[in-house]
Amino acid sequence: MARVMWKWIKEELIFPYLDIPIIYFDLGIENRDRTDDMVTLESAKAIKEYKVGVKCATITPDEERVKEYNLKKAWKSPNATIRAYLDGTVFRKPIVVKNIPPFVRTWKKPIIIGRHAYGDIYNAFECKVEGNVSLEVNLKNSENKNFSVHNFDGKGVFMVMHNTEKSVRSFAKSCINYALSEKVDLWFSAKDTISKIYHGFFKEIFRDEVEKRKKDFEDNGISYKYFLIDDAVAQIIKSEGGILWACMNYEGDVMSDMVAAGFGSLGLMTSVLVSPSGEYEYEAAHGTVRRHYYEYLKGNKTSTNPTASIFAWTGGIRKRGELDGDSDVIEFADKLEKAVIMTIESGIMTKDLQPLAVPPVDKYVDTETFINSVKKNLKKLLEK
Ligand code: NAP
Ligand code: MG
């Protein structure tokens, strides 16, 4: 369904108004299968070359999808391939609309979560032990150092995890790039009072990378703060938002779902992949919305929310405009976003938003009606 909406968005809201060359890669599951997934890599290379990409949600095939589409194999997630190629970090950013209030009363502006997506418990070795076991760590280098960790005398578990300077530095750089791009304060949180070396390592690298960009922070009027993770959690609830919160892998996994739920609907959540060297790929945070697609195939109208997909386009268009110094292009992106927000705030919304609306609205519209209403508002704004 995401792909069906994508086409409507392009045809109704983008192409009639904007004459920009677009280099297109078909990441549909059939074409990825046909090209042995080379098309995904080519699209990643194009983002590297052109600096900005916009991506529609794609199927990450499981066993069922392999049968349904008669695939050669269960291809990897395109997002994982593109992220690995660009060495990027994914940021999730909610779209704030006045009549869809967040569950946390103080939140007025988006809270963006940046999650480090390498290492820690996600690439750890873990093991159960039983009886008298002495756990030691042996570093195989020229010194062959040995560390005694624990002497077990019964059942227990242990885990060995790691991270690398290269990965943490890339993460810090991507967070700094995105905070500057969005002109929001940057927070980084960890627990370096307990994990002085491991978490301390992250804290040091963040401080070091921020120091290098000190002037950019000053020029953009934004600040950097380090928090202990528990303090950050308490502060974020009291804050009004407008923050990029950089989290280590596990904390980012948990906090991104907490913040997404706090802001209401997946249909209002965008996602941006930012590389340490400043390439940007914009998309909606939701998937292909498969259940709605099966309804659409039966000829039924669906009320799938296109907002996050429209904002993926406006994000990419605005970034392109900034890179080219083209104020008309930037203005178009601003107006299209405004047209979407005006539509929802006037009470015209899709089914996912209706139960969240304050004041309540008595009916929801289908996707095409929503897009047409946005188009009407966009036309008004463009005439001004
Ligand atoms: P999903 O597509 O995000 O949809 C899950 C449910 O969330 C939908 O059934 C719908 O609930 C609701 N929803 C999501 N987006 C919505 C929108 N724009 N408007 C209204 N409701 C919305 O997740 P999924 O069903 O788990 O995944 C489907 C496929 O997408 C999978 O192949 C998965 O691999 C892929 N995926 C891709 C990406 C990506 O490319 N970035 C991300 C996530 C998942 P109701 O049915 O209750 O209305
Ligand atoms: Mg999670």
Side-chain angles (χ1 to χ4, degrees), residues 209-224:
E209 290 299 330
V210 167
E211 194 55 37
K212 288 183 199 160
R213 304 287 297 271
K214 211 173 160 192
K215 181 148 189 331
D216 292 328
F217 273 79
E218 281 167 15
D219 290 350
N220 284 278
I222 65 168
S223 67
Y224 168 73

Side-chain angles (χ1 to χ4, degrees), residues 1-216:
M1 197 62 209
R3 194 172 173 136
V4 176
M5 292 198 294
W6 197 252
K7 184 163 173 280
W8 292 339
I9 293 167
K10 286 195 289 191
E11 284 171 357
E12 297 299 327
L13 302 176
I14 314 280
F15 292 165
Y17 306 103
L18 203 64
D19 180 19
I20 48 169
I22 289 174
I23 296 146
Y24 178 81
F25 296 85
D26 177 2
L27 297 192
I29 187 69
E30 286 106 343
N31 196 42
R32 276 185 277 145
D33 196 54
R34 225 175 355 255
T35 61
D36 291 334
D37 209 20
M38 288 315 289
V39 66
T40 306
L41 196 61
E42 280 165 23
S43 74
K45 287 180 180 165
I47 294 170
K48 184 120 201 122
E49 183 177 353
Y50 298 106
K51 303 274 186 203
V52 184
V54 180
K55 178 181 168 289
C56 178
T58 42
I59 294 170
T60 301
D62 50 15
E63 273 316 306
E64 275 176 55
R65 249 29 73 195
V66 170
K67 278 194 212 122
E68 181 179 349
Y69 292 94
N70 194 18
L71 305 176
K72 292 176 198 156
K73 65 179 213 186
W75 300 103
K76 246 173 64 178
S77 144
N79 290 50
T81 304
I82 298 170
R83 187 172 67 209
Y85 184 80
L86 294 173
D87 187 21
T89 298
V90 173
F91 298 92
R92 276 176 153 205
K93 181 185 171 192
I95 299 157
V96 177
V97 191
K98 278 204 198 91
N99 53 340
I100 311 292
F103 290 106
V104 179
R105 263 180 289 139
T106 48
W107 291 357
K108 302 265 182 308
K109 299 181 209 158
I111 294 167
I112 307 167
I113 302 276
R115 171 186 171 190
H116 184 218
Y118 176 79
D120 303 353
I121 65 166
Y122 301 84
N123 303 73
F125 170 76
E126 51 177 29
C127 189
K128 261 189 197 159
V129 296
E130 192 165 353
N132 285 320
V133 179
S134 121
L135 176 64
E136 292 176 6
V137 175
N138 173 224
L139 293 190
K140 290 200 171 168
N141 57 12
S142 53
E143 293 167 46
N144 257 331
K145 275 194 180 167
N146 225 53
F147 302 93
S148 172
V149 180
H150 190 72
N151 291 317
F152 290 93
D153 60 359
K155 284 188 182 172
V157 284
F158 73 88
M159 179 192 279
V160 181
M161 61 186 204
H162 75 283
N163 227 299
T164 66
E165 178 179 352
K166 181 174 178 292
S167 174
V168 180
R169 244 180 233 290
S170 292
F171 173 57
K173 284 181 187 165
S174 297
C175 290
I176 293 167
N177 281 339
Y178 195 51
L180 290 167
S181 164
E182 292 285 314
K183 298 196 180 23
V184 290
D185 289 341
L186 174 63
W187 291 11
F188 174 63
S189 59
K191 190 77 178 180
D192 72 306
T193 44
I194 302 298
S195 168
K196 293 187 168 59
I197 295 178
Y198 199 110
H199 286 217
F201 186 75
F202 281 72
K203 183 182 170 184
E204 285 294 312
I205 290 174
F206 261 81
R207 189 161 52 201
D208 186 36
E209 290 299 330
V210 167
E211 194 55 37
K212 288 183 199 160
R213 304 287 297 271
K214 211 173 160 192
K215 181 148 189 331
D216 292 328

Side-chain angles (χ1 to χ4, degrees), residues 174-348:
S174 297
C175 290
I176 293 167
N177 281 339
Y178 195 51
L180 290 167
S181 164
E182 292 285 314
K183 298 196 180 23
V184 290
D185 289 341
L186 174 63
W187 291 11
F188 174 63
S189 59
K191 190 77 178 180
D192 72 306
T193 44
I194 302 298
S195 168
K196 293 187 168 59
I197 295 178
Y198 199 110
H199 286 217
F201 186 75
F202 281 72
K203 183 182 170 184
E204 285 294 312
I205 290 174
F206 261 81
R207 189 161 52 201
D208 186 36
E209 290 299 330
V210 167
E211 194 55 37
K212 288 183 199 160
R213 304 287 297 271
K214 211 173 160 192
K215 181 148 189 331
D216 292 328
F217 273 79
E218 281 167 15
D219 290 350
N220 284 278
I222 65 168
S223 67
Y224 168 73
K225 268 197 206 116
Y226 171 78
F227 290 91
L228 282 173
I229 181 77
D230 27 7
D231 188 21
V233 170
Q235 297 300 326
I236 208 81
I237 296 293
K238 289 189 278 182
S239 84
E240 62 164 37
I243 295 155
L244 193 168
W245 183 11
C247 294
M248 290 173 69
N249 211 343
Y250 177 71
E251 289 77 7
D253 186 349
V254 178
M255 293 308 161
S256 59
D257 285 334
M258 192 272 288
V259 169
F263 273 100
S265 165
L266 256 185
L268 291 182
M269 186 62 78
T270 61
S271 162
V272 192
L273 174 73
V274 182
S275 79
S277 43
E279 288 94 23
Y280 294 76
E281 182 216 50
Y282 296 81
E283 67 171 329
H286 61 75
T288 60
V289 210
R290 184 192 307 141
R291 207 186 58 75
H292 295 210
Y293 182 58
Y294 294 147
E295 285 302 311
Y296 167 82
L297 287 182
K298 286 188 226 155
N300 297 332
K301 285 210 184 279
T302 72
S303 182
T304 320
N305 190 348
T307 302
S309 297
I310 299 173
F311 274 65
W313 274 98
T314 51
I317 291 168
R318 180 179 300 105
K319 180 55 73 185
R320 188 69 260 165
E322 285 170 9
L323 292 173
D324 296 339
D326 189 329
S327 59
D328 287 345
V329 171
I330 298 172
E331 198 183 315
F332 174 76
D334 291 344
K335 286 188 171 165
L336 180 48
E337 287 184 1
K338 201 167 167 201
V340 175
I341 290 172
M342 274 167 68
T343 305
I344 300 174
E345 290 183 351
S346 74
I348 299 172

